[in-house]
Amino acid sequence: MRFRELNKRPETSGNDSLLPLIAIVGPTAVGKTEIAIDLAERLGGEIVSADSRLFYRGMDVGTDKPSPEQRARLPHHLIDVVDPHEVWSLAVYKQAAKMAIADIHSRGKLPFLVGGAGQYVRAIIENWVVPKVKPDPGLRLLLESWAEEVHPKGLHTRLVALDPEAAEKIDYRNVRRTIRALEVIFRTGKKFSEQRVQGTALYRSLVVGLTCPRKELYARIDARIQSMMEAGLVEEVETLLTRGYTPDLPSFSAIGYREIASYVRGELSLEEAVSAMKQHTRRFVRRQANWFKLDDPGIKWFQVNTDTVTEIEGVIRGFLSSAVR
């Protein structure tokens, strides 16, 4: 899958009347948050989150949310918008993101769509038409029972057989998304991956990708997890469990929460839980690579270093100025 090349000169792309949108993408722990904030400060921008983990209130440490100090530097949108037991569908997110972007444009600011959740970024950049298949409570109950019988990984294996492209982009631990994909397939008789079609572009978009060598990225991941533990991830999970939130909630699919919940309940040692977090994060990074490919002509990639922000700023300024040539 490739991003459509919406960042060409307006006279060749036919979207010169559209307002600009900058997307900052890349794998977890590569440094998207700080780089995006630096760029937005320099260019009069505001941040719109495209990270589904950041939606949930009270889940701060394990999601590595922007700190209060970072969020005070400029407005952030679509962070802390629901409680952990609530579910935000892709369709609901898409509508909320469009509203946030319109608000930013109305005040003469530049929106930065930032996150590593490929489907959320693509849904906005490519204006996905999300499958209009109403939930089927009976079918969902059957699929939930099936998941309990064969384990989430077993259910995901069924999705692999029916729609490998969709399965490749869904974590087997995210039972809700696996069930939704199967529900759409069973209700329509068509692959889930074939039903998310691109609509007409809403924005003149520039997609910026951040990358670094895999060994360095893994070191960043290990350092982030260590920082989370020191910042009180165990206490955060204990608080969530005490408040009645359970590990089977979709919000707990954010890496770290189920692993630490297993430690809190005595099912894993702390060392085993941390090791599982590292393993699952590495697997997640490989899945992200399926959304954001280094050879994608629709993404302008930058190696993360001390000059990255200045380099990207120059590209963005050129992109913005091209609209008025």
Side-chain angles (χ1 to χ4, degrees):
M1 185 182 291
R2 296 290 188 269
F3 276 103
R4 291 186 299 176
E5 292 188 74
L6 301 178
N7 54 354
K8 294 180 181 178
R9 286 284 300 276
E11 60 267 31
T12 61
S13 65
N15 59 1
D16 52 306
S17 63
L18 300 179
L19 293 173
L21 173 67
I22 311 300
I24 307 293
V25 304
T28 190
V30 77
K32 295 185 295 294
T33 296
E34 186 62 30
I35 288 175
I37 291 173
D38 286 345
L39 288 166
E41 283 185 321
R42 295 185 183 196
L43 294 159
E46 298 183 10
I47 306 295
V48 178
S49 177
D51 189 332
S52 59
R53 303 172 307 164
L54 306 189
F55 298 159
Y56 301 104
R57 304 182 188 100
M59 303 182 79
D60 303 328
V61 178
T63 61
D64 197 39
K65 278 180 187 167
S67 67
E69 293 76 19
Q70 288 175 316
R71 292 166 70 175
R73 289 165 61 183
L74 74 170
H76 285 65
H77 304 262
L78 306 189
I79 296 177
D80 290 339
V81 291
V82 293
D83 290 324
H85 67 283
E86 299 175 277
V87 175
W88 253 33
S89 68
L90 182 61
V92 172
Y93 168 79
K94 184 169 178 274
Q95 185 61 31
K98 286 167 57 180
M99 292 176 63
I101 292 168
D103 173 58
I104 293 167
H105 279 144
S106 72
R107 290 181 282 103
K109 299 291 186 178
L110 179 63
F112 283 76
L113 186 68
V114 183
Q119 66 166 345
Y120 288 89
V121 175
R122 289 187 180 277
I124 301 303
I125 297 293
E126 299 176 350
N127 191 22
W128 278 3
V129 179
V130 181
K132 294 182 178 180
V133 177
K134 293 183 178 180
D136 184 327
L139 178 56
R140 286 194 174 185
L141 184 61
L142 178 63
L143 290 170
E144 288 169 359
S145 299
W146 195 13
E148 291 180 2
E149 180 180 342
V150 300
H151 188 267
K153 187 173 289 187
L155 187 70
H156 190 266
T157 299
R158 272 61 171 187
L159 179 60
V160 171
L162 294 171
D163 189 347
E165 183 178 346
E168 187 178 37
K169 296 178 173 63
I170 298 176
D171 189 326
Y172 78 87
R173 301 178 308 156
N174 195 328
V175 178
R176 179 182 64 85
R177 286 192 61 205
T178 303
I179 287 177
R180 175 57 177 167
L182 289 169
E183 178 185 43
V184 171
I185 292 169
F186 292 151
R187 289 288 305 278
T188 65
K190 300 178 181 179
K191 290 183 178 181
F192 184 66
S193 59
E194 294 176 349
Q195 299 188 55
R196 284 180 173 170
V197 298
Q198 297 177 358
T200 301
L202 299 175
Y203 315 104
R204 195 173 79 92
S205 303
L206 172 66
V207 184
V208 172
L210 303 177
T211 186
C212 67
R214 187 59 61 89
K215 184 176 180 180
E216 179 182 337
L217 183 63
Y218 285 170
R220 286 171 175 260
I221 288 169
D222 291 350
R224 172 182 284 189
I225 290 174
Q226 180 61 33
S227 177
M228 287 177 179
M229 300 305 296
E230 294 172 358
L233 179 56
V234 172
E235 292 76 10
E236 180 172 86
V237 172
E238 288 175 334
T239 298
L240 291 166
L241 295 175
T242 299
R243 292 171 60 190
Y245 298 119
T246 57
D248 61 337
L249 290 170
S251 57
F252 270 69
S253 66
I255 295 171
Y257 288 94
R258 286 176 180 161
E259 294 87 346
I260 296 302
S262 292
Y263 161 68
V264 171
R265 295 184 301 184
E267 299 165 359
L268 294 175
S269 68
L270 187 57
E271 182 179 358
E272 289 170 332
V274 170
S275 177
M277 288 173 63
K278 293 178 180 179
Q279 178 184 358
H280 294 156
T281 305
R282 284 163 171 69
R283 183 183 301 144
F284 179 60
V285 164
R286 292 192 290 271
R287 189 175 301 109
Q288 285 178 308
N290 293 320
W291 286 105
F292 309 122
K293 295 182 181 297
L294 292 175
D295 63 349
D296 188 334
I299 305 177
K300 293 187 179 297
W301 286 100
F302 294 83
Q303 285 280 340
V304 174
N305 55 52
T306 55
D307 299 320
T308 301
V309 172
T310 300
E311 292 172 358
I312 297 175
E313 179 187 4
V315 170
I316 294 175
R317 289 190 183 279
F319 166 78
L320 296 173
S321 66
S322 70
V324 295
R325 290 175 185 170

